[in-house]
Amino acid sequence: MENLFSSIVAIDQNGIPYNIPKTQYKKWKINSLGFRGKEIDWEKKKGKVRIVCFGASETLGLHESEGKEWPSQLEEMLKDRYPDVEVINAGTCGTNTYNIRRRFADFLALDPNLILFYGGVNDTTHVHFQFWLNALPKWKKWALRSFVLRGYFG
């Protein structure tokens, strides 16, 4: 997992993670604008319907093969009925809603007709997990017994 992050994700001067444009690590290919998937034009073509999907690893498709991440599947489902639809996968591994909010202007600059967000997991697990264990004793007992959380946090 660490090689994935150091290979395709960088952190800017404000601490916001972003995908490194024109990179590839195993199955993950990042285009010249820093999004997973095929090359796209910055400017939306006349008549196109552009959907920008953003979030963390689940949006990027951390565990999915090329074309199997949910933004690609969404585009495939819509293409027959709406041939001018373009779905952009703007997912970034390791990000959270705070950082996504800080990048919102980047997504708006793509002139989307629709923005879809899928996230929140990194907010709850990475940022607040220790708080929950310390502040909520009944949660602490549950969390410490959880084989899922033990596997995730070690």
Side-chain angles (χ1 to χ4, degrees):
M1 188 72 101
E2 190 62 38
N3 289 335
L4 167 67
F5 291 115
S6 61
S7 296
I8 68 168
V9 177
I11 309 291
D12 73 7
Q13 69 273 11
N14 297 312
I16 302 171
Y18 66 94
N19 296 328
I20 303 167
K22 295 184 180 179
T23 57
Q24 180 175 348
Y25 177 75
K26 296 184 181 179
K27 64 183 176 183
W28 300 278
K29 295 176 189 164
I30 306 301
N31 68 26
S32 62
L33 293 178
F35 305 121
R36 183 173 182 183
K38 63 186 181 295
E39 288 295 329
I40 58 166
D41 295 321
W42 182 260
E43 303 246 346
K44 181 173 65 175
K45 292 182 177 142
K46 186 174 174 88
K48 280 278 188 190
V49 174
R50 183 173 270 182
I51 301 171
V52 175
C53 304
F54 60 93
S57 57
E58 286 298 320
T59 299
L60 179 77
L62 178 63
H63 301 288
E64 309 303 332
S65 302
E66 189 70 31
K68 299 299 182 187
E69 66 280 3
W70 72 263
S72 290
Q73 290 184 35
L74 174 64
E75 185 173 64
E76 282 304 308
M77 289 189 301
L78 295 173
K79 276 286 189 194
D80 288 338
R81 192 163 183 191
Y82 307 101
D84 290 327
V85 72
E86 175 183 48
V87 179
I88 299 171
N89 183 343
T92 304
C93 283
T95 196
N96 57 37
T97 53
Y98 175 72
N99 288 329
I100 288 169
R101 191 184 73 200
R102 293 166 70 193
R103 289 202 56 210
F104 204 72
D106 297 339
F107 306 131
L108 289 177
L110 292 165
D111 191 24
N113 298 88
L114 179 66
I115 294 176
L116 299 176
F117 169 66
Y118 174 58
V121 174
N122 288 347
D123 294 314
T124 57
T125 57
H126 298 184
V127 177
H128 302 295
F129 184 71
Q130 200 57 46
F131 169 78
W132 290 345
L133 287 180
N134 294 332
L136 304 169
K138 63 183 174 183
W139 282 76
K140 185 173 183 176
K141 290 178 185 176
W142 170 82
L144 291 175
R145 286 194 314 260
S146 168
F147 104 93
V148 172
L149 294 176
R150 268 198 328 266
Y152 188 75
F153 292 100

